């Protein structure tokens, strides 16, 4: 958006209570040793005009003359915007009025005129514009710094919110992991207890098995032992077989 349209909205606005206090900005004045502006040098009538800044105590209810004049010229398209410098919310603009050969230099912040200068000297207009453009760098520094700080603060708050969410997620995750570990440890403890009980039961059963096996071995040994039937009471002994005489065969006489 060009400064024409931007300034066209300013007719209903008065100059703010704060304005530039640097005396070097006002044409026809030289700074004194004390820092206050010295008496203005004589200037050609109607050659240059500067709208002085308002008092800091209160702002006028109606726009000053140069503001009304420049605003009317902008609204009626009777001035040409030669160049404009923007720095943050501040702008320095140079206008040229072809009909009366007037140059206007304006310093604005947002929709407020801070300073307006008028001259018929092109070189003086360029000097004023250059000074105003340079001043916008210094004037805009706090606004630009605040803008960046606001952005960094907003980014830090977003990061802090993300960190807090992450912290909550990790805390919940850690609590869940600890719960799983506790349940796992308890399950392992129960399993170890059951394992010990099973080992004791196995040892007991093994001992019973060994005892029964020994009994079985003894019974098998007793069952396989040949009994001594002669020792059975009341059993008759077998009758003795009569002795037989053995006779040798007679020899045959030799022939």
């Amino acid at each position: 958006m060009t400064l024409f349209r931007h300034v066209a909205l300013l007719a209903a606005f008065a100059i703010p209570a704060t304005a530039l206090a640097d005396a070097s900005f006002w044409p026809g004045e030289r700074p004194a040793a004390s820092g206050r502006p010295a008496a203005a040098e004589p200037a050609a009538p109607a050659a240059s005009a500067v709208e002085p800044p308002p008092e800091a105590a209160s702002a006028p209810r109606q726009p000053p003359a140069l503001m009304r004049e420049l605003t009317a010229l902008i609204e009626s398209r009777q001035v040409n915007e030669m160049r404009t410098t923007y720095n943050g919310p501040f702008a320095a603009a140079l206008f040229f009025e072809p009909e009366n050969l007037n140059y206007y230099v304006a310093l604005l912040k947002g929709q407020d005129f801070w300073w307006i200068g008028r001259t018929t000297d092109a070189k003086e207009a360029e000097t004023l514009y250059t000074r105003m453009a340079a001043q916008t760098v210094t004037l805009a520094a706090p606004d630009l710094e605040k803008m960046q700080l606001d952005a960094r603060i907003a980014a830090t708050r977003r990061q802090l919110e993300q960190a807090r969410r992450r912290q909550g997620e990790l805390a919940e995750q850690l609590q869940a992991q600890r719960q799983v570990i506790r349940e796992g440890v308890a399950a392992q403890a129960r399993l170890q207890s059951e394992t010990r009980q099973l080992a004791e039961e196995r040892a007991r059963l093994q001992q019973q098995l060994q005892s029964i096996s020994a009994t079985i071995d003894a019974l098998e040994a007793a069952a396989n032992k040949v009994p001594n039937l002669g020792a059975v009471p009341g059993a008759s002994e077998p009758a003795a077989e009569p002795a037989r005489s053995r006779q040798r065969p007679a020899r045959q006489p030799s022939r």
Side-chain angles (χ1 to χ4, degrees):
M1 180 178 66
T2 64
L3 197 60
F4 278 112
R5 183 176 299 178
H6 179 79
V7 178
L9 302 174
L10 304 179
F13 291 89
I15 295 180
T18 57
L20 295 177
D22 189 353
S24 63
F25 271 50
W26 311 112
E29 297 179 355
R30 294 179 181 175
S34 62
R36 297 182 179 179
E41 296 180 355
S48 64
V50 174
E51 191 70 41
E55 296 295 333
S58 62
R61 295 187 177 181
Q62 296 296 328
L66 275 182
M67 178 181 173
R68 294 195 300 270
E69 178 182 328
L70 180 57
T71 303
L73 291 173
I74 292 174
E75 291 177 345
S76 60
R77 304 279 183 176
Q78 297 182 35
V79 290
N80 298 320
E81 182 180 351
M82 298 181 67
R83 51 178 153 270
T84 304
T85 298
Y86 291 96
N87 273 296
F90 286 88
L94 175 60
F95 299 96
F96 176 63
E97 181 194 8
E99 183 176 353
N100 297 310
L101 301 179
N102 284 327
Y103 295 90
Y104 293 87
V105 179
L107 175 68
L108 305 94
K109 181 180 182 181
Q111 294 183 345
D112 296 324
F113 278 114
W114 274 38
W115 184 84
I116 298 175
R118 182 186 66 196
T119 180
T120 57
D121 188 341
K123 185 177 294 187
E124 183 182 13
E126 290 288 348
T127 301
L128 288 174
Y129 172 77
T130 302
R131 291 179 180 177
M132 287 297 172
Q135 281 292 323
T136 59
V137 177
T138 304
L139 292 171
D143 295 89
L144 298 180
E145 184 178 2
K146 180 180 180 299
M147 175 186 67
Q148 297 176 72
L149 287 175
D150 289 340
R152 290 191 177 96
I153 289 174
T156 303
R157 286 176 177 172
R158 291 193 298 270
Q159 294 174 358
L160 179 60
E161 185 63 25
Q162 294 175 358
R164 286 174 176 172
R165 288 198 300 268
R166 181 59 178 165
Q167 180 184 10
E169 293 173 357
L170 290 176
E172 293 178 359
Q173 180 179 352
L174 181 60
Q175 184 178 1
Q177 289 178 350
R178 288 175 177 174
Q179 181 64 26
V180 171
I181 291 174
R182 285 195 296 269
E183 293 177 356
V185 170
Q188 287 299 111
R190 291 193 299 270
L191 182 60
Q192 290 178 356
S193 176
E194 293 175 1
T195 302
R196 286 193 299 268
Q197 293 177 1
L198 291 175
E200 293 173 358
E201 179 69 14
R202 179 180 176 278
R204 185 178 62 81
L205 295 176
Q206 187 71 24
Q207 185 177 4
Q208 293 179 2
L209 177 60
Q210 291 176 357
S211 177
I212 293 175
S213 296
T215 302
I216 292 175
D217 291 341
L219 292 176
E220 287 180 348
N224 293 331
K225 185 177 180 181
V226 177
N228 187 4
L229 299 179
V232 177
S236 60
E237 294 193 4
E241 183 179 354
R244 296 180 181 179
S245 59
R246 296 182 178 179
Q247 296 179 357
R248 295 180 177 179
R251 287 185 176 180
Q252 295 292 335
S254 59
R255 290 181 183 179

